[in-house]
Amino acid sequence: SDAPALEIYARGESGGWRVGADGFDYSCLGEMKGLLARENFVRLAEALRGRASAATYDDEYARVRHLLAHAWPLSEHTESGGLRRARPGKFNTESVTVLSNDAQFTRYARLRYQLELRRRAVEGGAA
């Protein structure tokens, strides 16, 4: 299942912060807070855009992620699903293959941040 994530970088900071839709306390939204994490995630992103209007935003990851797989493949691992009883006296073993784009998303977000820093440095030097 896909869980939305927001990567936040601040100027002068060496790293960023990741906000996952399912693992965040949305109490900062106050009256705007809803019941579902996905709704709250959208509201949080909108609130951040409203308060940080000079920030740079990138919503392109979902559109380009299939292209990124050539350079940064999804991580894949297989987990045992254990034994399942098919019928009396008959057991089946199951396995689950998990694909994760976490490393790919992290690399993409860091690359975009570094490119943005470089763009600002070039524009600042030209001014």
Side-chain angles (χ1 to χ4, degrees):
S1 64
D2 285 340
L6 179 66
E7 194 87 7
I8 302 171
Y9 292 91
R11 193 177 342 189
E13 296 290 327
S14 61
W17 299 274
R18 178 164 299 168
V19 176
D22 296 334
F24 188 75
D25 175 13
Y26 293 99
S27 60
C28 62
L29 293 175
E31 295 292 321
M32 295 184 335
K33 182 180 174 189
L35 295 176
L36 301 176
R38 288 192 183 265
E39 291 174 3
N40 289 330
F41 184 81
V42 170
R43 291 177 184 152
L44 176 66
E46 290 171 353
L48 289 171
R49 285 180 186 244
R51 293 185 182 175
S53 57
T56 302
Y57 297 93
D58 177 1
D59 295 329
E60 297 298 313
Y61 176 74
R63 190 177 64 78
V64 300
R65 68 191 261 182
H66 68 282
L67 298 171
L68 297 174
H70 298 291
W72 301 319
L74 299 178
S75 61
E76 179 178 332
H77 69 279
T78 303
E79 300 173 351
S80 172
L83 289 174
R84 300 282 180 196
R85 184 178 210 159
R87 60 180 188 265
K90 175 74 172 157
F91 292 92
N92 292 333
T93 58
E94 292 185 354
S95 62
V96 177
T97 301
V98 178
L99 293 172
S100 174
N101 69 336
D102 188 55
Q104 183 188 71
F105 179 71
T106 299
R107 288 180 178 125
Y108 174 79
R110 289 179 182 167
L111 175 64
R112 291 291 298 156
Y113 176 62
Q114 291 301 317
L115 291 173
E116 180 62 20
L117 289 178
R118 183 172 290 178
R119 183 190 67 79
R120 289 182 182 194
V122 168
E123 287 180 358

